[in-house]
Amino acid sequence: MTASPLAELARLLPSLQLRTEPADLEHYGRDWTRRWTPAPLAIALPGSIDEVQAIVRWANAHRVALVPSGGRTGLSGGAVAAKGELVVSTERMNRVVGFDAADRILTVQPGIALEAVHNAAREHGLVYPVDFAARGSCAIGGTIATNAGGIRVIRYGNTRSWIAGLKLVTGTGELLDLNRGLVKNSSGYDLRQLVIGAEGTLGIVVEAMLQLTDAPPPSNVMLLALPSFDALMQVFEVLRGKLALSAFEFFTDRALVHVVAHGAQKPFAEDHPYYVVAEFDAHTQGTQDAVLAAFETCVERGLVGDGVIAQSEAQAAALWRLREGITESLARHRPYKNDIAVRIGAMPAFLDETKALLAREYPQFDVVWFGHIGDGNLHINVLKPDALDDAAFVTQCEQVTALLADALQRHGGSISAEHGIGLVKKSYLGSTRSAAEIAMMRGVRQVFDPNGIMNPGKLFD
Ligand code: MLT
Ligand code: ZN
């Protein structure tokens, strides 16, 4: 790539912020995977939809690959720019555009952080219910690109359920205004839903209409220690039968070791193999009685090794920290992340089988299991042993993922529940999608982006 197409872009859009300083290339070329060496051509920071369209048209003329970029908190390499691409950062397009009270729709630009959306919703007495630990740094555009899930999917579903409309600049530079906030719209293909989860391969989301909803009633949080995974699944049955659950998250003893080493308070004197953080509505005396009754049922059936119900907001936050602090506590061990989904009914068999397999075949690895067990979503993080060099670690982890992909095929699961395929899981897409499905996806992509300039190399080649 010569400098001249970039010079032409600067000439075409004199007000466009373009950055080529090495520190910027490094910063914007990476995401949280930190596995690829950043090597973008430059960074563009458009301030308007018109500028995004002009960039895409320029990129088509010069066949320059574009990488849409939000908070880069992704865990699958979907926002990595390592091959001379132009990064299109939505960082400057980070405003609330408007609020419609009748429809309870908050319209936002793509670069706004999830936490800022939560705050804006709260100002209107409502909530945007998608939530996860990276809320302060991720951008809403990225959550749409991956159809992000998080900790409240069990009650609210994932991002897909909350996008009432989208504006998309396609790979040809055309602006599509999809669904426009309609609740009902039975007028053909729902292209909005096609864009959600497409990992930036169909275009760049330049505006989103977020459906808000009522704030939930006051909640409470419970931490349970469980003797086995079987007991954990039985506890899930009891709790969801008796309580209005808004989260049911799990982690193993290894996860607890890391999060405690990172500063969290050890919750119980004894060690236990599994733990669950459950959140539930607790706004009336009746619901509080139901909580105690559910807890007692679990104890009577011998399902619970230990347990605590938060007595204050501070204690509830401390219990949540045990689950939400896991990712950060593992970061210094350079984890290789797996993010799988199976149907809830298939989870015990999948977990037993793969846990035993990994312990037998890869005893050298500290494997940390945690995740959104109420949605059938397990995060399986393999930590890098100090003695192993990076390349050997990645090679071995890819073998681990191949084993998981094999098991997923047998159990009818998915190689990505909520992180996306990106670069990291590209070679395993075939374990989750049939050849015919992948061929159709390629066809769709061809329609939106005939010159293949939108995030090439991500999802599939
Ligand atoms: C989480 O749920 O904490 C993240 O999605 C998982 C991860 O860091 O692997
Ligand atoms: Zn997660």
Side-chain angles (χ1 to χ4, degrees):
M1 175 57 56
T2 65
S4 57
L6 206 54
E8 193 198 320
L9 180 63
R11 188 186 54 75
L12 273 173
L13 294 173
S15 61
L16 176 68
Q17 275 199 27
L18 268 175
R19 299 188 190 165
T20 51
E21 289 296 313
D24 288 319
L25 301 184
E26 167 85 24
H27 177 71
Y28 290 92
R30 280 188 198 283
D31 67 5
W32 277 10
T33 48
R34 306 196 78 74
R35 214 166 96 191
W36 286 269
T37 308
L41 167 70
I43 320 301
L45 294 104
S48 67
I49 295 176
D50 286 349
E51 282 191 345
V52 175
Q53 283 185 280
I55 292 169
V56 174
R57 290 195 184 115
W58 163 88
N60 270 288
H62 296 280
R63 298 292 193 271
V64 175
L66 301 178
V67 176
S69 182
R72 292 176 306 286
T73 56
L75 299 168
S76 294
V80 166
K83 290 191 168 170
E85 306 93 330
L86 179 75
V87 173
V88 183
S89 167
T90 56
E91 199 170 284
R92 292 179 58 230
M93 297 173 72
N94 63 356
R95 282 184 306 104
V96 171
V97 176
F99 173 67
D100 183 325
D103 288 294
R104 300 175 141 194
I105 286 175
L106 188 74
T107 301
V108 297
Q109 292 184 312
I112 189 168
L114 178 59
E115 194 166 53
V117 166
H118 289 163
N119 295 339
R122 205 171 301 122
E123 281 173 24
H124 298 289
L126 296 168
V127 295
Y128 178 66
V130 176
D131 193 17
F132 47 86
R135 59 183 75 80
S137 0
C138 71
I140 211 77
T143 69
I144 293 169
T146 53
N147 184 25
I151 56 179
R152 310 225 182 270
V153 171
I154 186 176
R155 172 169 293 177
Y156 294 105
N158 41 25
T159 299
R160 189 176 291 296
S161 311
W162 298 95
I163 304 300
L166 277 184
K167 283 190 183 158
L168 179 84
V169 172
T170 68
T172 59
E174 194 157 343
L175 180 65
L176 301 181
D177 191 358
L178 302 174
N179 199 59
R180 306 179 311 279
L182 297 173
V183 176
K184 290 184 149 185
N185 186 1
S186 191
S187 60
Y189 304 145
D190 190 342
L191 301 179
R192 154 195 62 159
Q193 291 296 351
L194 210 48
V195 170
I196 302 168
E199 302 189 32
T201 60
L202 302 183
I204 302 178
V205 171
V206 288
E207 203 170 280
M209 299 177 90
L210 309 179
Q211 185 66 60
L212 307 185
T213 188
D214 289 323
S219 62
N220 204 345
V221 178
M222 180 193 282
L223 176 74
L224 299 175
L226 297 316
S228 66
F229 194 73
D230 189 46
L232 186 152
M233 293 306 291
Q234 290 188 54
V235 165
F236 182 46
E237 266 317 298
V238 172
L239 295 194
R240 79 169 162 180
K242 292 188 190 275
L243 306 179
L245 284 178
S246 53
F248 190 81
E249 298 276 313
F250 107 119
F251 51 94
T252 56
D253 48 354
R254 290 304 305 159
L256 184 66
V257 165
H258 289 286
V259 84
V260 167
H262 201 65
Q265 181 118 27
K266 189 169 186 237
F268 306 120
E270 303 284 317
D271 294 331
H272 302 265
Y274 296 99
Y275 299 87
V276 154
V277 174
E279 190 177 276
F280 44 85
D281 295 351
H283 53 307
T284 65
Q285 187 56 49
T287 50
Q288 289 182 20
D289 293 346
V291 172
L292 279 178
F295 185 64
E296 275 160 17
T297 306
C298 293
V299 173
E300 276 158 21
R301 291 191 195 167
L303 302 174
V304 170
D306 213 335
V308 56
I309 300 174
Q311 298 303 317
S312 65
E313 273 187 30
Q315 206 181 354
L319 297 182
W320 262 120
R321 243 189 324 276
L322 294 169
R323 164 63 184 89
E324 293 211 289
I326 296 171
T327 296
E328 201 185 315
S329 76
L330 301 181
R332 70 186 183 88
H333 300 285
R334 316 268 304 279
Y336 182 98
K337 289 178 180 291
N338 293 287
D339 159 48
I340 68 90
V342 284
R343 285 169 59 175
I344 292 169
M347 218 154 27
F350 176 84
L351 186 120
D352 283 353
E353 190 185 309
T354 47
K355 222 173 165 218
L357 190 65
L358 297 188
R360 195 177 65 232
E361 303 287 326
Y362 295 94
Q364 71 275 31
F365 285 149
D366 185 3
V367 182
V368 179
W369 298 71
F370 61 103
H372 318 285
I373 205 79
D375 323 325
N377 177 187
L378 299 170
H379 295 310
I380 308 164
N381 281 218
V382 183
L383 308 196
K384 192 177 105 47
D386 290 338
L388 206 58
D389 68 53
D390 282 9
F393 176 60
V394 169
T395 305
Q396 292 185 24
C397 285
E398 284 174 349
Q399 291 160 3
V400 169
T401 302
L403 281 183
L404 294 174
D406 228 44
L408 285 165
Q409 219 158 10
R410 283 196 304 281
H411 289 278
S414 171
I415 195 70
S416 176
E418 59 173 6
H419 293 174
I421 296 292
L423 291 171
V424 178
K425 295 289 156 33
K426 188 164 69 168
S427 34
Y428 312 98
L429 185 62
S431 68
T432 299
R433 301 299 196 109
S434 68
E437 272 183 289
I438 296 172
M440 293 237 179
M441 289 205 265
R442 285 185 201 285
V444 169
R445 197 214 158 132
Q446 177 71 23
V447 172
F448 276 79
D449 177 28
N451 290 324
I453 58 158
M454 291 307 314
N455 220 5
K458 316 290 166 52
L459 195 50
F460 41 65
D461 283 318

